[in-house]
Amino acid sequence: MSAAAKRAAELRRQLEEHNYRYYVLDAPTIPDAEYDRLFRELQELEAQHPELRLPDSPTQRVGGAPLKEFAPVIHRLPMQSLNNCFSEEELQDFDRRVREGLGLERVEYVAEPKLDGLAVSLTYENGVLAQGATRGDGETGEDITANLRTIRVVPLSLRDPGPGTRDSGKSGVPKVIEVRGEVYLPRAGFEKMNKEAAARGEKVFVNPRNAAAGSLRQLDPKMTAQRPLALYAYQVGFHQGWTPPKTHAETLAQLRAWGFPVSDLIEVVEGYEGCLDYYRRMEERRAKLGFDIDGVVYKLNDLAGRDELGSVSRAPRWAIAHKFPAEEALTVVENIEFQISRTGALNPVARLKPVFVGGANVSNATLHNLDEIERKDVRIGDTVIVRRAGDVIPEVKGVVLEQRPPHARHAKVPTHCPVCGAEVERAEGDVNARCTNGLSCPAQLHGALQHFVSRRAMDIEGLGEKLLAQLIERGLVHSPVDIYKLGAEQLAGLDRMGEKSAENVIAAIEHSRDSRFERFLYALGIPDVGETTARDLARHFGTLDALEVAALGDLATESDESVKPKDRYPQLRKVPDVGPVVASHICHFFNEPRNRDTIAALLDPRQGGIRWPAPRAAVQGALSGKTLVITGTLAGMSRDEAAALIESHGGKVSGSVSAKTDYLLAGEAAGSKLAKAEKLGVAVIDLDGLRALMKVGPQMDANKRK
Ligand code: JCF
């Protein structure tokens, strides 16, 4: 072998190893720049010596010209589908059939999440990826080798010959091995892809499965390469020169050793009780996984037993898919109406022909805003996909265009507020049309008051939605200030209000006068100012006057052509996580005379009488000057308690991870914040780490993982 060939082989080996560590194990051991350097070296070698450019070279993941069409592939063993079951009884029936078929009392199953993606087949000849295909109809699929090569977790060659390869021809590699798995799109990748498509004005995909299917069906592999697809391997198909182990669990271990990603949620369970327990645990974890699953799969662990049971009509008798209740369903939009939010936005709501989805009957679904209606092109009469997942509000995900009837018509955006009759305006760049009547609109007033009295704002217990509606209707309350002018006898005259409950409400109103600056700020309902931003603003400015002066000062920079966009709102933007959009909302809020009058009245001792303690001097402590972000579920402590603890030691708590974050305090089931912290190299600590920090200060911290 020439020196160049040797070096190329070594580079290929190293690059595939690092690729595997990065994408499959999620644990890279070299910096990206070093990987790039090795990659370029191999590219240059192959340019000088084209004969070294082998199909399993990492430089060949994205290569080749676009195809005209996909060639058919006849599967050497049919790719079976799975029978489904939807209930405990059906699961029990399956288990009984298996046990009776094998004459056993008790059976072991391998349980795994059922990914909502596309089944594919990957054939390796002498350890090198030779062909990749779709399932197709199970007999014949399509040759999508070039597209599958672009998926970074798909091994271009098998890593390790493994122990199960004794009788193979040469060097311990199976002569032929077909590995089957599911290609899917992680949710984060799906959202990123859709965001980019929307920014280019292109159609977005309704769900990750469709997006994955569309990505695999690209004739130009360069397109597929840009999609963040992933794969889990779950089955061996045709093989030659390889002796399978005795159990499916061992097969999966072999797949892992060959370098395939195999889900670490897979477990060996016993009997149908074990299956059911697994099902329930996965159902609970479902929403927190990084990808969509539509159920779980149970497979007989004993491979000899599989042969004994065999198949019926294209599905094995030894496996079954246990499906979760569908989260998406089709139904018809009967009307599109608009509800007025507390900030005056006309929120479009689809009135639907009732449909059972996500375990409930749904007849209304949000369309979010006008931009979304336009982007999804939803019309009255359309058949749409409705989604209801977990506790979230049902939403219209997209239209089934093929089923659009000729009489389908666009929603008519009202020119006047359906509640108060005031004019509706849509500012340039605003995703919503808005009622221009402010708190004079009863709908806006109702929303604003509900927010004002809510637990994390002014916390007025007993002043619920229905009571507020009555107060507004009877003209007793026109603004938050009026709440503080109510008397017990006025309340007692209302529906379902006894004397005692009226007195309780009055006491709660009275009690709420002693508040805190950040709560009051949050209660004002400035668009996009949530609890975290309110707290950061309160801490940064200390007093309402200081905040108002900054807001009115910054407003001048908004329309000043001589100020560069990045230099606008200079004072507000010193506050963590305050960007131009939030800053603009704050400026406009304080610039509105009606809002300034309301604030003055709320603070006037003869009217609202709201007050709060003066800001304390910043606490000095072991965490002074440090910014922490909290994520996940902490053991034995709420996040609020953890934040208070951090602040009592001089630290700052921020809502999102950035380069300025010093530590991420991560509990159980931490998600995107943890990923971001790791990407930015932010130190990640747990509660013990925090306690250690508070004891000794950051200098001596041994838990820092930077
Ligand atoms: O995750 C899946 N969608 C999935 C599909 C998982 C499996 O273990 C499968 C499958 C389809 C067929 N196993 C077979 C045999």
Side-chain angles (χ1 to χ4, degrees), residues 510-551:
E510 190 60 38
H511 187 71
S512 77
R513 288 196 157 109
D514 278 307
S515 186
R516 300 176 53 87
F517 182 20
E518 63 269 28
R519 277 180 171 265
F520 178 75
L521 208 47
Y522 172 62
L524 290 176
I526 304 168
D528 279 345
V529 176
E531 265 184 277
T532 308
T533 307
R535 197 187 55 218
D536 289 345
L537 287 166
R539 191 175 302 135
H540 185 86
F541 290 104
T543 67
L544 193 62
D545 282 342
L547 171 60
E548 187 174 326
V549 167

Side-chain angles (χ1 to χ4, degrees), residues 80-82 112-117 119 135 182 234-235 248 294 297 299 316 318-319:
Q80 297 179 312
S81 55
L82 296 171
E112 64 177 310
K114 183 173 183 298
L115 291 156
D116 202 5
R135 176 176 178 279
E182 197 86 355
Y234 52 64
Q235 189 71 39
H248 185 53
D294 57 358
V297 179
K299 291 179 173 175
W318 43 262

